[in-house]
Amino acid sequence: MLETHEEMGMDRLKSIAVLTTFHKEGYDLYGKRFLESWCDKVDNKIALMVYAENCAPPVNEDHYFLYFSEMELTKLNEFKQRWKDDPKANGIPPDDIKARRPRDWHKKFKWDAVRFANKTYAVFEAARRWQKMRDGEWLCWLDADTYVHSPLTHEQLSELLPDDKWLTYVGRGKGSQTWPECGFYGMNIKHPTCQKFLEEFERYYDDANNGIFTLEEWHDSFVFGHLLNKFKEQDPNVLDYSAEMYLREAKTGGGGHPLINGPLGKYFDHMKGGRKEKGKSERKDIMVNRTEAYWNEI
């Protein structure tokens, strides 16, 4: 059931939406569990936007859900059509990168632009929709291979999205020299710097030969990190959830499992990589003193 802000009391609250995407296989493996945990644990004053590919998840009328088909992402479909047969956009980097990267050029995810465009184009479109539809203030990306393990109120999420920041994100420790962990990031979509950032982010995909393909890698986290560093030079007022954390500084990748070890771990478990099959993170992933009951059972 879609309610107005006034009906939900959102005229008195910061308007926050959380965005995720999944395809049918992802829904079966982790998306269904994510949605069930969301309905069970998350304040219904926080909107959830979902771009679903080849599946139609059930609607919970007690929550503010906005479901869209991937077919509504016109620019995504144009990108996929343009690059679907080009190896460099599907995990096989050009020869010059192969020569520079003999140890890892075979790691397809780093150069699979078509795969990760599903996420980025959903972000670009959802930012426009949320601001237009509900005068949205904050849009947060959250990977669907996430489980909400503890109650999350609107007030608690709002505190993690301070209005004096134009972006929040999960880095990999203070001084990290690698891309952020993009399982979660928050965008203050009315902020001028955030708007310029999203415009340039989208341009990097729309004009890929003069955008993502000029970089050393072109998965979404690398592109995000590259542009974030550029925009931080102009406006450093961002929040890195990992900046004051435990983390060993990541120089070339890794840096542990930063999302669950920072403030977001109070509410979320993120099953990145092979953790999807197990359905939870591992005890060895915990590098801080987590006190939530969920983590004591890991």
PDB file of all heavy atoms in Angstrom, residues 11-36:
ATOM      1  N   ASP A  11       6.148  14.083   6.520  1.00  0.00           N
ATOM      2  CA  ASP A  11       6.300  15.538   6.440  1.00  0.00           C
ATOM      3  C   ASP A  11       7.158  16.038   7.585  1.00  0.00           C
ATOM      4  O   ASP A  11       7.712  17.118   7.520  1.00  0.00           O
ATOM      5  CB  ASP A  11       4.926  16.210   6.455  1.00  0.00           C
ATOM      6  CG  ASP A  11       4.118  15.848   7.687  1.00  0.00           C
ATOM      7  OD1 ASP A  11       4.243  14.707   8.169  1.00  0.00           O
ATOM      8  OD2 ASP A  11       3.356  16.718   8.164  1.00  0.00           O
ATOM      9  N   ARG A  12       7.325  15.266   8.636  1.00  0.00           N
ATOM     10  CA  ARG A  12       8.135  15.664   9.786  1.00  0.00           C
ATOM     11  C   ARG A  12       9.475  14.947   9.808  1.00  0.00           C
ATOM     12  O   ARG A  12      10.280  15.165  10.689  1.00  0.00           O
ATOM     13  CB  ARG A  12       7.379  15.364  11.087  1.00  0.00           C
ATOM     14  CG  ARG A  12       6.035  16.080  11.198  1.00  0.00           C
ATOM     15  CD  ARG A  12       5.387  15.817  12.535  1.00  0.00           C
ATOM     16  NE  ARG A  12       5.137  14.395  12.752  1.00  0.00           N
ATOM     17  CZ  ARG A  12       4.071  13.753  12.274  1.00  0.00           C
ATOM     18  NH1 ARG A  12       3.174  14.399  11.544  1.00  0.00           N
ATOM     19  NH2 ARG A  12       3.905  12.464  12.522  1.00  0.00           N
ATOM     20  N   LEU A  13       9.685  14.064   8.826  1.00  0.00           N
ATOM     21  CA  LEU A  13      10.875  13.247   8.828  1.00  0.00           C
ATOM     22  C   LEU A  13      11.657  13.430   7.536  1.00  0.00           C
ATOM     23  O   LEU A  13      11.099  13.771   6.498  1.00  0.00           O
ATOM     24  CB  LEU A  13      10.503  11.764   8.960  1.00  0.00           C
ATOM     25  CG  LEU A  13       9.776  11.329  10.228  1.00  0.00           C
ATOM     26  CD1 LEU A  13       9.324   9.885  10.083  1.00  0.00           C
ATOM     27  CD2 LEU A  13      10.674  11.479  11.437  1.00  0.00           C
ATOM     28  N   LYS A  14      12.924  13.176   7.625  1.00  0.00           N
ATOM     29  CA  LYS A  14      13.765  13.123   6.436  1.00  0.00           C
ATOM     30  C   LYS A  14      13.252  12.011   5.526  1.00  0.00           C
ATOM     31  O   LYS A  14      12.959  10.909   5.977  1.00  0.00           O
ATOM     32  CB  LYS A  14      15.201  12.834   6.870  1.00  0.00           C
ATOM     33  CG  LYS A  14      16.227  12.806   5.758  1.00  0.00           C
ATOM     34  CD  LYS A  14      17.581  12.333   6.268  1.00  0.00           C
ATOM     35  CE  LYS A  14      18.071  13.145   7.433  1.00  0.00           C
ATOM     36  NZ  LYS A  14      19.427  12.709   7.874  1.00  0.00           N
ATOM     37  N   SER A  15      13.089  12.294   4.256  1.00  0.00           N
ATOM     38  CA  SER A  15      12.583  11.278   3.332  1.00  0.00           C
ATOM     39  C   SER A  15      13.751  10.421   2.849  1.00  0.00           C
ATOM     40  O   SER A  15      14.666  10.890   2.187  1.00  0.00           O
ATOM     41  CB  SER A  15      11.847  11.917   2.157  1.00  0.00           C
ATOM     42  OG  SER A  15      12.653  12.868   1.502  1.00  0.00           O
ATOM     43  N   ILE A  16      13.701   9.144   3.204  1.00  0.00           N
ATOM     44  CA  ILE A  16      14.781   8.206   2.922  1.00  0.00           C
ATOM     45  C   ILE A  16      14.218   7.023   2.143  1.00  0.00           C
ATOM     46  O   ILE A  16      13.204   6.440   2.523  1.00  0.00           O
ATOM     47  CB  ILE A  16      15.426   7.682   4.219  1.00  0.00           C
ATOM     48  CG1 ILE A  16      15.966   8.830   5.067  1.00  0.00           C
ATOM     49  CG2 ILE A  16      16.550   6.689   3.888  1.00  0.00           C
ATOM     50  CD1 ILE A  16      16.427   8.378   6.451  1.00  0.00           C
ATOM     51  N   ALA A  17      14.900   6.669   1.074  1.00  0.00           N
ATOM     52  CA  ALA A  17      14.596   5.441   0.346  1.00  0.00           C
ATOM     53  C   ALA A  17      15.856   4.598   0.269  1.00  0.00           C
ATOM     54  O   ALA A  17      16.967   5.117   0.159  1.00  0.00           O
ATOM     55  CB  ALA A  17      14.082   5.741  -1.055  1.00  0.00           C
ATOM     56  N   VAL A  18      15.677   3.296   0.323  1.00  0.00           N
ATOM     57  CA  VAL A  18      16.762   2.344   0.133  1.00  0.00           C
ATOM     58  C   VAL A  18      16.478   1.591  -1.160  1.00  0.00           C
ATOM     59  O   VAL A  18      15.347   1.160  -1.404  1.00  0.00           O
ATOM     60  CB  VAL A  18      16.878   1.383   1.319  1.00  0.00           C
ATOM     61  CG1 VAL A  18      17.888   0.263   1.031  1.00  0.00           C
ATOM     62  CG2 VAL A  18      17.292   2.148   2.580  1.00  0.00           C
ATOM     63  N   LEU A  19      17.498   1.461  -1.978  1.00  0.00           N
ATOM     64  CA  LEU A  19      17.371   0.848  -3.295  1.00  0.00           C
ATOM     65  C   LEU A  19      18.158  -0.449  -3.363  1.00  0.00           C
ATOM     66  O   LEU A  19      19.275  -0.534  -2.843  1.00  0.00           O
ATOM     67  CB  LEU A  19      17.905   1.815  -4.364  1.00  0.00           C
ATOM     68  CG  LEU A  19      18.180   1.232  -5.758  1.00  0.00           C
ATOM     69  CD1 LEU A  19      16.873   0.889  -6.465  1.00  0.00           C
ATOM     70  CD2 LEU A  19      19.006   2.211  -6.586  1.00  0.00           C
ATOM     71  N   THR A  20      17.582  -1.454  -4.025  1.00  0.00           N
ATOM     72  CA  THR A  20      18.324  -2.675  -4.307  1.00  0.00           C
ATOM     73  C   THR A  20      17.848  -3.250  -5.634  1.00  0.00           C
ATOM     74  O   THR A  20      16.838  -2.808  -6.188  1.00  0.00           O
ATOM     75  CB  THR A  20      18.170  -3.706  -3.171  1.00  0.00           C
ATOM     76  OG1 THR A  20      19.204  -4.676  -3.262  1.00  0.00           O
ATOM     77  CG2 THR A  20      16.805  -4.390  -3.206  1.00  0.00           C
ATOM     78  N   THR A  21      18.585  -4.218  -6.145  1.00  0.00           N
ATOM     79  CA  THR A  21      18.186  -4.920  -7.366  1.00  0.00           C
ATOM     80  C   THR A  21      18.511  -6.403  -7.213  1.00  0.00           C
ATOM     81  O   THR A  21      19.382  -6.787  -6.438  1.00  0.00           O
ATOM     82  CB  THR A  21      18.944  -4.406  -8.620  1.00  0.00           C
ATOM     83  OG1 THR A  21      20.325  -4.743  -8.513  1.00  0.00           O
ATOM     84  CG2 THR A  21      18.791  -2.916  -8.796  1.00  0.00           C
ATOM     85  N   PHE A  22      17.791  -7.226  -7.959  1.00  0.00           N
ATOM     86  CA  PHE A  22      18.134  -8.645  -8.069  1.00  0.00           C
ATOM     87  C   PHE A  22      17.433  -9.225  -9.280  1.00  0.00           C
ATOM     88  O   PHE A  22      16.444  -8.668  -9.778  1.00  0.00           O
ATOM     89  CB  PHE A  22      17.758  -9.439  -6.805  1.00  0.00           C
ATOM     90  CG  PHE A  22      16.400  -9.141  -6.228  1.00  0.00           C
ATOM     91  CD1 PHE A  22      15.238  -9.537  -6.877  1.00  0.00           C
ATOM     92  CD2 PHE A  22      16.286  -8.450  -5.033  1.00  0.00           C
ATOM     93  CE1 PHE A  22      13.992  -9.263  -6.337  1.00  0.00           C
ATOM     94  CE2 PHE A  22      15.039  -8.166  -4.481  1.00  0.00           C
ATOM     95  CZ  PHE A  22      13.895  -8.581  -5.134  1.00  0.00           C
ATOM     96  N   HIS A  23      17.975 -10.323  -9.788  1.00  0.00           N
ATOM     97  CA  HIS A  23      17.316 -11.084 -10.842  1.00  0.00           C
ATOM     98  C   HIS A  23      16.646 -12.303 -10.206  1.00  0.00           C
ATOM     99  O   HIS A  23      16.696 -12.481  -8.982  1.00  0.00           O
ATOM    100  CB  HIS A  23      18.288 -11.480 -11.946  1.00  0.00           C
ATOM    101  CG  HIS A  23      19.566 -12.107 -11.459  1.00  0.00           C
ATOM    102  ND1 HIS A  23      19.655 -12.928 -10.349  1.00  0.00           N
ATOM    103  CD2 HIS A  23      20.832 -12.037 -11.959  1.00  0.00           C
ATOM    104  CE1 HIS A  23      20.885 -13.353 -10.188  1.00  0.00           C
ATOM    105  NE2 HIS A  23      21.638 -12.801 -11.144  1.00  0.00           N
ATOM    106  N   LYS A  24      16.013 -13.128 -11.033  1.00  0.00           N
ATOM    107  CA  LYS A  24      15.254 -14.263 -10.499  1.00  0.00           C
ATOM    108  C   LYS A  24      16.149 -15.191  -9.682  1.00  0.00           C
ATOM    109  O   LYS A  24      15.771 -15.620  -8.575  1.00  0.00           O
ATOM    110  CB  LYS A  24      14.610 -15.045 -11.661  1.00  0.00           C
ATOM    111  CG  LYS A  24      13.833 -16.298 -11.226  1.00  0.00           C
ATOM    112  CD  LYS A  24      12.675 -15.957 -10.294  1.00  0.00           C
ATOM    113  CE  LYS A  24      11.718 -17.120 -10.111  1.00  0.00           C
ATOM    114  NZ  LYS A  24      12.353 -18.299  -9.461  1.00  0.00           N
ATOM    115  N   GLU A  25      17.342 -15.503 -10.186  1.00  0.00           N
ATOM    116  CA  GLU A  25      18.242 -16.394  -9.453  1.00  0.00           C
ATOM    117  C   GLU A  25      18.665 -15.765  -8.130  1.00  0.00           C
ATOM    118  O   GLU A  25      18.741 -16.438  -7.096  1.00  0.00           O
ATOM    119  CB  GLU A  25      19.466 -16.727 -10.300  1.00  0.00           C
ATOM    120  CG  GLU A  25      19.160 -17.534 -11.554  1.00  0.00           C
ATOM    121  CD  GLU A  25      18.645 -16.688 -12.699  1.00  0.00           C
ATOM    122  OE1 GLU A  25      18.573 -15.436 -12.556  1.00  0.00           O
ATOM    123  OE2 GLU A  25      18.293 -17.277 -13.741  1.00  0.00           O
ATOM    124  N   GLY A  26      18.933 -14.461  -8.157  1.00  0.00           N
ATOM    125  CA  GLY A  26      19.315 -13.768  -6.933  1.00  0.00           C
ATOM    126  C   GLY A  26      18.169 -13.694  -5.933  1.00  0.00           C
ATOM    127  O   GLY A  26      18.386 -13.815  -4.721  1.00  0.00           O
ATOM    128  N   TYR A  27      16.966 -13.522  -6.440  1.00  0.00           N
ATOM    129  CA  TYR A  27      15.807 -13.495  -5.551  1.00  0.00           C
ATOM    130  C   TYR A  27      15.673 -14.821  -4.823  1.00  0.00           C
ATOM    131  O   TYR A  27      15.444 -14.867  -3.610  1.00  0.00           O
ATOM    132  CB  TYR A  27      14.539 -13.200  -6.349  1.00  0.00           C
ATOM    133  CG  TYR A  27      13.282 -13.302  -5.521  1.00  0.00           C
ATOM    134  CD1 TYR A  27      12.973 -12.336  -4.567  1.00  0.00           C
ATOM    135  CD2 TYR A  27      12.409 -14.379  -5.687  1.00  0.00           C
ATOM    136  CE1 TYR A  27      11.828 -12.434  -3.785  1.00  0.00           C
ATOM    137  CE2 TYR A  27      11.264 -14.487  -4.921  1.00  0.00           C
ATOM    138  CZ  TYR A  27      10.971 -13.512  -3.974  1.00  0.00           C
ATOM    139  OH  TYR A  27       9.842 -13.621  -3.205  1.00  0.00           O
ATOM    140  N   ASP A  28      15.822 -15.910  -5.556  1.00  0.00           N
ATOM    141  CA  ASP A  28      15.679 -17.235  -4.938  1.00  0.00           C
ATOM    142  C   ASP A  28      16.787 -17.508  -3.926  1.00  0.00           C
ATOM    143  O   ASP A  28      16.540 -18.118  -2.871  1.00  0.00           O
ATOM    144  CB  ASP A  28      15.695 -18.317  -6.016  1.00  0.00           C
ATOM    145  CG  ASP A  28      14.462 -18.278  -6.902  1.00  0.00           C
ATOM    146  OD1 ASP A  28      13.449 -17.699  -6.471  1.00  0.00           O
ATOM    147  OD2 ASP A  28      14.527 -18.810  -8.032  1.00  0.00           O
ATOM    148  N   LEU A  29      18.008 -17.068  -4.223  1.00  0.00           N
ATOM    149  CA  LEU A  29      19.155 -17.388  -3.372  1.00  0.00           C
ATOM    150  C   LEU A  29      19.219 -16.502  -2.133  1.00  0.00           C
ATOM    151  O   LEU A  29      19.503 -16.989  -1.035  1.00  0.00           O
ATOM    152  CB  LEU A  29      20.456 -17.263  -4.172  1.00  0.00           C
ATOM    153  CG  LEU A  29      21.760 -17.575  -3.431  1.00  0.00           C
ATOM    154  CD1 LEU A  29      21.760 -19.000  -2.887  1.00  0.00           C
ATOM    155  CD2 LEU A  29      22.963 -17.345  -4.351  1.00  0.00           C
ATOM    156  N   TYR A  30      18.973 -15.191  -2.314  1.00  0.00           N
ATOM    157  CA  TYR A  30      19.135 -14.270  -1.179  1.00  0.00           C
ATOM    158  C   TYR A  30      18.106 -13.147  -1.120  1.00  0.00           C
ATOM    159  O   TYR A  30      17.827 -12.612  -0.056  1.00  0.00           O
ATOM    160  CB  TYR A  30      20.547 -13.653  -1.192  1.00  0.00           C
ATOM    161  CG  TYR A  30      20.951 -13.060  -2.525  1.00  0.00           C
ATOM    162  CD1 TYR A  30      20.498 -11.808  -2.942  1.00  0.00           C
ATOM    163  CD2 TYR A  30      21.808 -13.744  -3.387  1.00  0.00           C
ATOM    164  CE1 TYR A  30      20.860 -11.272  -4.167  1.00  0.00           C
ATOM    165  CE2 TYR A  30      22.188 -13.208  -4.612  1.00  0.00           C
ATOM    166  CZ  TYR A  30      21.716 -11.978  -4.997  1.00  0.00           C
ATOM    167  OH  TYR A  30      22.072 -11.449  -6.208  1.00  0.00           O
ATOM    168  N   GLY A  31      17.513 -12.779  -2.254  1.00  0.00           N
ATOM    169  CA  GLY A  31      16.616 -11.629  -2.281  1.00  0.00           C
ATOM    170  C   GLY A  31      15.353 -11.826  -1.464  1.00  0.00           C
ATOM    171  O   GLY A  31      14.894 -10.915  -0.768  1.00  0.00           O
ATOM    172  N   LYS A  32      14.774 -13.016  -1.544  1.00  0.00           N
ATOM    173  CA  LYS A  32      13.553 -13.296  -0.786  1.00  0.00           C
ATOM    174  C   LYS A  32      13.824 -13.162   0.713  1.00  0.00           C
ATOM    175  O   LYS A  32      13.031 -12.559   1.449  1.00  0.00           O
ATOM    176  CB  LYS A  32      13.039 -14.696  -1.119  1.00  0.00           C
ATOM    177  CG  LYS A  32      11.752 -15.091  -0.410  1.00  0.00           C
ATOM    178  CD  LYS A  32      11.279 -16.452  -0.916  1.00  0.00           C
ATOM    179  CE  LYS A  32       9.935 -16.828  -0.295  1.00  0.00           C
ATOM    180  NZ  LYS A  32      10.060 -17.108   1.152  1.00  0.00           N
ATOM    181  N   ARG A  33      14.937 -13.724   1.159  1.00  0.00           N
ATOM    182  CA  ARG A  33      15.298 -13.631   2.578  1.00  0.00           C
ATOM    183  C   ARG A  33      15.547 -12.180   2.983  1.00  0.00           C
ATOM    184  O   ARG A  33      15.152 -11.751   4.077  1.00  0.00           O
ATOM    185  CB  ARG A  33      16.539 -14.478   2.844  1.00  0.00           C
ATOM    186  CG  ARG A  33      16.987 -14.514   4.311  1.00  0.00           C
ATOM    187  CD  ARG A  33      18.035 -15.588   4.488  1.00  0.00           C
ATOM    188  NE  ARG A  33      18.516 -15.663   5.861  1.00  0.00           N
ATOM    189  CZ  ARG A  33      19.704 -15.247   6.269  1.00  0.00           C
ATOM    190  NH1 ARG A  33      20.554 -14.729   5.389  1.00  0.00           N
ATOM    191  NH2 ARG A  33      20.068 -15.361   7.524  1.00  0.00           N
ATOM    192  N   PHE A  34      16.195 -11.409   2.107  1.00  0.00           N
ATOM    193  CA  PHE A  34      16.408  -9.996   2.391  1.00  0.00           C
ATOM    194  C   PHE A  34      15.078  -9.272   2.578  1.00  0.00           C
ATOM    195  O   PHE A  34      14.882  -8.527   3.550  1.00  0.00           O
ATOM    196  CB  PHE A  34      17.206  -9.328   1.265  1.00  0.00           C
ATOM    197  CG  PHE A  34      17.127  -7.830   1.290  1.00  0.00           C
ATOM    198  CD1 PHE A  34      17.760  -7.104   2.286  1.00  0.00           C
ATOM    199  CD2 PHE A  34      16.383  -7.138   0.333  1.00  0.00           C
ATOM    200  CE1 PHE A  34      17.671  -5.703   2.325  1.00  0.00           C
ATOM    201  CE2 PHE A  34      16.288  -5.761   0.362  1.00  0.00           C
ATOM    202  CZ  PHE A  34      16.929  -5.040   1.364  1.00  0.00           C
ATOM    203  N   LEU A  35      14.144  -9.473   1.656  1.00  0.00           N
ATOM    204  CA  LEU A  35      12.855  -8.790   1.738  1.00  0.00           C
ATOM    205  C   LEU A  35      12.095  -9.186   3.005  1.00  0.00           C
ATOM    206  O   LEU A  35      11.476  -8.335   3.651  1.00  0.00           O
ATOM    207  CB  LEU A  35      12.012  -9.097   0.506  1.00  0.00           C
ATOM    208  CG  LEU A  35      12.499  -8.518  -0.823  1.00  0.00           C
ATOM    209  CD1 LEU A  35      11.582  -8.968  -1.954  1.00  0.00           C
ATOM    210  CD2 LEU A  35      12.578  -6.999  -0.780  1.00  0.00           C
ATOM    211  N   GLU A  36      12.150 -10.461   3.344  1.00  0.00           N
ATOM    212  CA  GLU A  36      11.464 -10.907   4.558  1.00  0.00           C
ATOM    213  C   GLU A  36      12.085 -10.268   5.794  1.00  0.00           C
ATOM    214  O   GLU A  36      11.362  -9.852   6.717  1.00  0.00           O
ATOM    215  CB  GLU A  36      11.527 -12.427   4.649  1.00  0.00           C
ATOM    216  CG  GLU A  36      10.645 -13.124   3.612  1.00  0.00           C
ATOM    217  CD  GLU A  36      10.854 -14.628   3.575  1.00  0.00           C
ATOM    218  OE1 GLU A  36      11.838 -15.095   4.196  1.00  0.00           O
ATOM    219  OE2 GLU A  36      10.052 -15.324   2.919  1.00  0.00           O
TER     220      GLU A  36
END
